[in-house]
Amino acid sequence: MATKKKVITKDDIVSKYMEEVLEKGQKPKSVYHFTKENDFTEAEFYTFFGTLEGLEKEIFRLFFENTVNLLHKNEEYQGYDMKNKMLSFYFTFFEILTANRSYVLQSLKIDRNPIKNLVQLTTLRNSFKDYVAEILTDDYRLEQERFQKFQEKAIQESSWLQLMMTIKFWMEDESPAFEKTDIFIEKSVNASFELMNVAPMNHLIDFGKFLFKEKVHSR
């Protein structure tokens, strides 16, 4: 009696891809080569992914998703303020990256063109920006509604740049248990939240409105 072939899952494909990149030190040439090397069909691949590039992006999105899932399992996390939620995200996210460090280093350095390597992070970028918007609280939101949308986008973009800087620092960190990265995370997040203090900005906006009114009335 013929043995029934195992149904391949999305997680199986992700694992096989990561293993191949690590073992061969390069990306598969095509979906055809990847599926043939790993004994499953192109049709099975296309059930979950449209391209190899889409698969690469999904791996980093899964790192993010696993991070958020772990955070939400922690009952205390729900009561944290924005800064502590962000710190919790960073420490958890980098634990997951560290568990997959060999793949992350290989995949983000595999192409001579750094821009091509960073394309893998586009889905992570979108997910992370949504996360920042989700945890943004009134403590860091301007009182003036017309400036809030601009402010939210600025916070999302600056938070993403900070995450990218931290990934770069972690990739180059040679300290035991990556303890320097932990210090970098704590100091950079604390500094960013100091800069996000909205009180001075609200005062500047109020001052600007005052000057405008004075100029109008003085005519």
Side-chain angles (χ1 to χ4, degrees):
M1 184 175 177
T3 305
K4 188 176 180 180
K5 185 180 177 182
K6 179 192 171 186
V7 176
I8 194 161
T9 66
K10 181 179 180 179
D11 288 343
D12 291 332
I13 294 175
V14 167
S15 295
K16 289 177 183 293
Y17 184 84
M18 292 174 72
E19 286 173 14
E20 182 160 331
V21 169
L22 285 172
E23 289 175 3
K24 296 189 175 181
Q26 60 184 17
K27 300 176 183 179
K29 293 179 180 178
S30 65
V31 172
Y32 169 79
H33 285 96
F34 174 54
T35 55
K36 187 175 181 181
E37 284 282 326
N38 290 280
D39 196 29
F40 65 100
T41 66
E42 289 186 69
E44 289 173 309
F45 177 90
Y46 290 123
T47 300
F48 303 102
F49 305 102
T51 61
L52 289 175
E53 289 74 19
L55 168 55
E56 291 167 352
K57 292 175 185 178
E58 178 64 8
I59 290 171
F60 282 94
R61 192 198 68 79
L62 286 172
F63 292 156
F64 170 86
E65 184 180 272
N66 291 340
T67 299
V68 174
N69 288 341
L70 284 171
L71 291 174
H72 285 162
K73 287 179 182 178
N74 181 357
E75 292 181 5
E76 294 181 0
Y77 170 81
Q78 302 302 331
Y80 289 167
D81 60 14
M82 184 181 175
K83 184 173 81 169
N84 282 307
K85 281 183 177 179
M86 187 66 81
L87 281 168
S88 298
F89 173 87
Y90 264 89
F91 287 125
T92 307
F93 182 68
F94 279 91
E95 280 182 14
I96 289 174
L97 287 194
T98 298
N100 297 277
R101 184 175 173 85
S102 294
Y103 174 79
V104 175
L105 294 182
Q106 180 83 353
S107 63
L108 293 182
K109 293 180 178 179
I110 206 163
D111 200 292
R112 291 182 179 180
N113 184 344
I115 301 299
K116 289 185 178 180
N117 292 323
L118 293 179
V119 167
Q120 299 173 74
L121 304 181
T122 53
T123 307
L124 168 64
R125 178 177 181 271
N126 294 334
S127 297
F128 180 70
K129 285 172 65 178
D130 289 342
Y131 171 78
V132 172
E134 178 187 316
I135 66 171
L136 181 62
T137 62
D138 289 340
D139 292 337
Y140 298 98
R141 190 175 275 117
L142 291 171
E143 293 172 4
Q144 286 75 11
E145 288 185 14
R146 59 182 171 156
F147 292 107
Q148 285 179 4
K149 194 169 184 180
F150 171 80
Q151 179 210 22
E152 183 174 307
K153 287 184 178 180
I155 290 174
Q156 287 175 316
E157 291 298 341
S158 61
S159 296
W160 170 247
L161 288 174
Q162 183 179 2
L163 181 61
M164 292 288 287
M165 286 172 56
T166 311
I167 290 174
K168 185 176 186 301
F169 187 94
W170 170 81
M171 289 175 69
E172 297 171 355
D173 188 3
E174 297 179 354
S175 64
F178 308 106
E179 56 190 22
K180 287 184 179 179
T181 297
D182 288 345
I183 296 169
F184 183 91
I185 288 171
E186 191 163 357
K187 289 187 179 297
S188 64
V189 170
N190 284 335
S192 68
F193 275 83
E194 286 294 322
L195 291 171
M196 279 169 57
N197 185 357
V198 298
M201 183 61 72
N202 279 321
H203 293 156
L204 281 173
I205 292 172
D206 287 340
F207 182 55
K209 288 164 68 176
F210 168 77
L211 288 177
F212 177 75
K213 287 178 181 177
E214 286 298 306
K215 190 173 182 181
V216 170
H217 290 313
S218 64
R219 289 180 177 179

